[in-house]
Amino acid sequence: ADKEQMDQQLQKIADNLGMVSRRLEALMEYRRLMEGAIRPSLQRADLSQLVTQQLFAYYDAFQRAGIDLDVDLSENLLLETDSDIFDRIVQNMLSNVLKHGRETASISLKKEGQKVIFQVKNKVQKPILHLDKLTNRFYSENLSSSEESSGLGLYITQQLVEILDGDLTIQAEGDWFELIVAL
């Protein structure tokens, strides 16, 4: 039983280190944003391909979380944008679903008029109380049981979307939560 206890303690330590590491990453990114150090480098990018790659990277995590993904991506959506910043936005939105979502989520990428719309919708673990505060710095409703929220995820996402001259819309209805990025 001693070895088992030791293994459990090591796992806890590893989990805590992982959490600290993610928080530090968020803080570093926040600092770079505050210093205006993140400047877009615009090039033609295939957003469909970028989203697909991110979905592959997150696929196992969604399986483990028991969240069914409904994916609807238009193909070959090209846009003059910064693909690294766009990747970060997609990562933040997907990890938001993993932290706070349950059961099912839908992801779509499509063109509407001149805009490209990237939309992520998921069921939440707990109802959202203050939708208007979710993009505030360090604001967290601790919607997840893991207490892992730095309260920076959506704030950073909003800042990154603005750097790309886009709009982020947040909506919630019942136990559904939705993030919409228009670029």
Side-chain angles (χ1 to χ4, degrees):
D2 280 353
K3 183 179 173 349
E4 207 172 292
Q5 268 184 321
M6 193 74 154
D7 285 348
Q8 281 179 335
Q9 279 182 317
L10 283 173
Q11 188 54 54
K12 265 189 189 156
I13 291 168
D15 290 346
N16 285 336
L17 281 173
M19 191 169 80
V20 168
S21 166
R22 286 187 292 278
R23 287 221 175 140
L24 274 174
E25 236 171 77
L27 280 168
M28 298 284 287
E29 189 162 22
Y30 167 69
R31 206 182 118 206
R32 289 177 61 222
L33 281 164
M34 291 301 88
E35 292 170 348
I38 299 177
R39 299 242 185 277
S41 157
L42 302 182
Q43 287 180 333
R44 210 155 178 59
D46 184 338
L47 299 191
S48 314
Q49 200 178 354
L50 293 175
V51 172
T52 302
Q53 284 165 350
Q54 290 299 333
L55 283 172
F56 273 123
Y58 278 85
Y59 182 78
D60 289 341
F62 276 104
Q63 294 286 95
R64 282 194 300 275
I67 297 173
D68 285 330
L69 281 185
D70 175 25
V71 179
D72 180 16
L73 305 181
S74 298
E75 286 185 34
N76 307 319
L77 276 188
L78 300 173
L79 189 70
E80 284 280 320
T81 192
D82 182 309
S83 51
D84 289 339
I85 294 177
F86 182 75
D87 267 344
R88 287 294 300 136
I89 292 167
V90 174
Q91 286 164 8
N92 284 2
M93 287 167 74
L94 294 178
S95 66
N96 196 59
V97 176
L98 285 171
K99 271 185 213 152
H100 308 297
R102 63 179 171 93
E103 292 169 36
T104 181
S106 69
I107 289 160
S108 79
L109 180 73
K110 53 187 184 289
K111 201 164 167 79
E112 283 181 12
Q114 294 304 303
K115 297 270 182 197
V116 170
I117 310 292
F118 180 60
Q119 194 168 11
V120 176
K121 187 175 182 180
N122 60 277
K123 274 192 170 173
V124 286
Q125 293 167 16
K126 297 180 186 165
I128 289 162
L129 304 174
H130 301 287
L131 193 66
D132 55 326
K133 291 186 187 167
L134 286 183
T135 54
N136 290 7
R137 281 179 285 195
F138 306 112
Y139 177 79
S140 167
E141 292 199 359
N142 256 333
L143 303 171
S144 61
S145 49
S146 64
E147 304 276 321
E148 203 190 291
S149 184
S150 62
L152 280 172
L154 289 178
Y155 174 80
I156 287 173
T157 303
Q158 167 124 41
Q159 300 301 309
L160 292 173
V161 169
E162 284 175 11
I163 286 172
L164 295 182
D165 285 333
D167 291 301
L168 175 69
T169 308
I170 299 178
Q171 296 174 343
E173 198 178 308
D175 56 359
W176 284 94
F177 178 72
E178 189 171 19
L179 291 171
I180 304 158
V181 171
L183 293 175

